[in-house]
Amino acid sequence: MKYINGHVHLEESDMCESDGKLFLTEAFSVIMEEILHKGTDSKEKVCEWKDPDQLRALLDLDLREHGESHEQLLQRVQDVARYSVKTCHPRFFNQLFAGVDYHALTGRLLTETLNTSQYTYEVAPVFVLMEEEVLRKLRSLVGWSEGDGIFCPGGSMSNMYAMNIARYWAFPQVKTQGLWATPRMAIFTSQQSHYSMKKAAAFLGIGTDNIFIVQADESGSMIPEDLEAKIMQAKSKDAVPFFVNATAGTTVQGAFDPLNHIADISERNGMWMHIDAAWGGSVLFSKKHKHLVSGIERANSVTWNPHKMLLTGLQCSVILFRDTTNLLMHCHSANATYLFQQDKFYDTSLDTGDKSIQCGRKVDCLKLWLMWKAIGTHGLSERVDKAFALLNFFASLLVFSVT
C-alpha cells in the first residue's frame, strides 16, 4: 500500500472503497435471503444446530496475519447466517424477545451506518431531539407530564441506574465521600424479581446481603404484608430501608406486583419505589390490559424494554424518572470540560451525555421512533393485545390437554 504524506494514495483508497461497497451490497443480499426470507419461513429451521467443536471447525474462527478474498468473506457471512439462531423465526420462543419489525430493523441499520454517539447535540443533533421526544411520550404513558430519563444498554443497566439514583437521592454525600459516609442500606425485592437486583447491589457496593427478599404468592406477585415484615426486620438490624423494587411482568410467571399497595408502603417508610417493567411496561399501550400496572404513576422510576413485547429489536431499554430536580445529571455528571463546554452556540441542556455513566452511548431511540411512526400508538396497542390473545389461546390448549 502506497502512502503520500501519511495518507493512503487516492487511487488505491478509491479501489478499497469500491470493493467495500460491493462486498456490503452482496453481503446484504445474503442477509436478506438467509435471515429475512428463510429465517422467517416456518418451513425452515430455527437453527442449524452444531456441537461446539463442530461449529468451531465449520466457522474457521482463527484470525490470521493476512486478509481473505472477497469470496471467502461472503462465505463467512453465509456461515454466520446459516448457523446462528433465527430469533425472527415464527417458532423461536426461547427468550422474551422474538420476531422482526421491518421499520425498527431499518432504524437499526440506519443507526449502525451513521455510527454516532448520543452524548452531545453537536455530534448527534437528530438523535438528541428524537430521544427527548420518545422519552417524553413514554413518560406520558406512565402518567407523568414531567420527568427525566435515558436510554440504557439493557434492562439490567436500567435497574442499576434506578438503584444508583435512589441511593444518591437518599444519601447525596455518597457521590463524593463514598460508602463510608452512609449507613447500612436495605433493598427490598420479590423472590420472583430479576437477578439484576443482586448484580446492581453488588456492583454499587451495597452488598447482596442487604437485599431483603419478599415472598410471592402462587401467581408470582409480591405479598405486601411480607414486604412490611421485611422492612421491620431490616430496621431491627439498624439498616435504613431506601429502595423497593416492584416487578410488572416477572421473568418466569409474567406476574404483576400490586403496585398501589407497594406504593402505600413505600410512601409510609420514605423509600424510593422502582418498578421493573422491562417486559410488562408495554401493557401501557393497551386499554384492555393497562389495568395490570395500575399505580405505576406513583413510582419514582420505571424500567421499560420495548425490545421485549413490541418487537423493537435488541437493544431498546429506557429508565424513566418522575423526578424534576435533575437528579440523573447531578448523580452521574463529571463535568468533562473538553466535551461538555458551557459556551457552545446552542442550548447546552441538549448535551445529555453527562446523565449517563457511559461516555460513548449507542443510539437506541431511532428504531423505536421509526416503528412508532410507521404503525402509530394504535398499532402498538394492537400488538400488545395480540400477544395477550395468543397467550390466552396457548393457555386454553394446555388446560384442554390436561383435562
Side-chain angles (χ1 to χ4, degrees):
M1 185 173 289
K2 296 179 181 179
Y3 290 86
I4 299 176
N5 295 328
H7 297 283
V8 178
H9 190 268
L10 185 60
E11 290 181 4
E12 189 164 351
S13 176
D14 287 346
M15 184 175 64
C16 291
E17 184 174 346
S18 176
D19 289 346
K21 288 179 179 179
L22 176 63
F23 175 73
L24 178 61
T25 300
E26 295 186 9
F28 194 75
S29 296
V30 174
I31 292 169
M32 289 294 295
E33 176 62 22
E34 295 298 323
I35 301 174
L36 297 177
H37 178 60
K38 291 182 181 178
T40 57
D41 185 349
S42 60
K43 298 183 183 66
E44 298 284 343
K45 293 181 180 180
V46 176
C47 177
E48 187 74 41
W49 181 260
K50 300 293 180 183
D51 288 333
D53 289 341
Q54 289 179 294
L55 190 56
R56 285 191 189 95
L58 285 166
L59 294 178
D60 185 16
L61 295 170
D62 288 348
L63 297 171
R64 301 182 179 89
E65 191 70 22
H66 298 288
E68 296 183 334
S69 69
H70 179 89
E71 290 72 22
Q72 285 176 304
L73 292 172
L74 280 178
Q75 185 59 50
R76 302 299 184 208
V77 174
Q78 185 89 29
D79 290 343
V80 168
R82 179 180 180 184
Y83 297 114
S84 291
V85 177
K86 313 303 188 298
T87 64
C88 54
H89 195 284
R91 291 186 176 141
F92 173 78
F93 301 112
N94 196 47
Q95 261 77 45
L96 298 180
F97 61 90
V100 61
D101 178 282
Y102 290 98
H103 298 100
L105 179 58
T106 301
R108 291 154 68 190
L109 293 169
L110 187 53
T111 295
E112 292 295 334
T113 306
L114 288 169
N115 189 40
T116 194
S117 179
Q118 180 115 23
Y119 42 41
T120 63
Y121 180 81
E122 66 195 81
V123 76
V126 171
F127 301 127
V128 165
L129 298 179
M130 186 181 291
E131 182 179 60
E132 180 181 66
E133 177 58 23
V134 173
L135 291 170
R136 185 196 66 79
K137 192 69 174 181
L138 292 174
R139 284 195 305 268
S140 72
L141 289 170
V142 172
W144 301 332
S145 59
E146 297 180 287
D148 206 348
I150 197 167
F151 276 77
C152 295
S156 293
M157 190 61 70
S158 294
N159 286 339
M160 193 177 295
Y161 267 61
M163 192 179 293
N164 197 40
I165 298 299
R167 182 177 64 176
Y168 178 79
W169 166 78
F171 308 104
Q173 70 273 22
V174 72
K175 179 177 179 178
T176 54
Q177 299 176 41
L179 288 173
W180 71 269
T182 66
R184 180 185 178 189
M185 291 172 274
I187 296 164
F188 304 88
T189 193
S190 160
Q191 64 185 132
Q192 295 295 326
S193 66
H194 193 259
Y195 64 83
S196 57
M197 284 295 119
K198 288 185 177 180
K199 292 201 171 199
F203 186 83
L204 294 173
I206 296 170
T208 56
D209 286 350
N210 293 313
I211 298 178
F212 291 78
I213 302 299
V214 182
Q215 295 300 306
D217 60 24
E218 289 185 357
S219 70
S221 297
M222 182 189 288
I223 300 173
E225 293 77 14
D226 193 53
L227 172 60
E228 293 191 281
K230 290 302 191 308
I231 292 171
M232 293 296 294
Q233 181 184 345
K235 289 179 177 178
S236 72
K237 296 181 177 181
D238 294 325
V240 178
F242 84 103
F243 182 88
V244 58
N245 172 63
T247 307
T250 59
T251 306
V252 177
Q253 292 180 266
F256 289 78
D257 287 344
L259 303 182
N260 273 311
H261 204 153
I262 295 169
D264 291 339
I265 296 169
S266 298
E267 289 168 8
R268 282 200 301 271
N269 289 276
M271 296 190 300
W272 181 285
M273 179 181 172
H274 173 64
I275 299 176
D276 179 359
W279 175 73
S282 294
V283 301
L284 287 166
F285 281 104
S286 169
K287 293 180 181 178
K288 187 182 297 185
H289 300 291
K290 69 178 182 180
H291 66 89
L292 292 168
V293 290
S294 176
I296 192 171
E297 73 284 352
R298 298 176 66 185
N300 297 96
S301 55
V302 173
T303 288
W304 187 352
N305 288 7
H307 69 239
K308 285 194 163 74
M309 200 185 297
L310 298 180
L311 305 183
T312 313
L314 288 167
Q315 58 195 13
C316 190
S317 177
V318 297
I319 177 66
L320 305 173
F321 295 98
R322 180 157 50 97
D323 171 72
T324 58
T325 66
N326 216 10
L327 273 175
L328 188 57
M329 179 70 82
H330 293 317
C331 180
H332 291 154
S333 63
N335 301 311
T337 55
Y338 72 90
L339 186 59
F340 303 112
Q341 304 96 337
Q342 296 305 301
D343 58 351
K344 293 180 180 179
F345 50 89
Y346 57 82
D347 179 4
T348 55
S349 68
L350 293 170
D351 290 352
T352 55
D354 230 6
K355 293 182 178 183
S356 170
I357 60 172
Q358 302 165 251
C359 179
R361 185 163 63 92
K362 188 181 177 72
V363 173
D364 284 327
C365 59
L366 174 56
K367 52 200 161 197
L368 176 56
W369 180 85
L370 195 58
M371 180 180 75
W372 204 331
K373 278 286 193 180
I375 66 175
T377 303
H378 180 70
L380 295 173
S381 172
E382 287 185 332
R383 190 164 286 181
V384 173
D385 289 343
K386 181 179 179 181
F388 275 85
L390 291 172
L391 165 69
N392 292 331
F393 173 71
F394 183 65
S396 69
L397 292 179
L398 291 177
V399 171
F400 179 78
S401 65
V402 170
T403 56

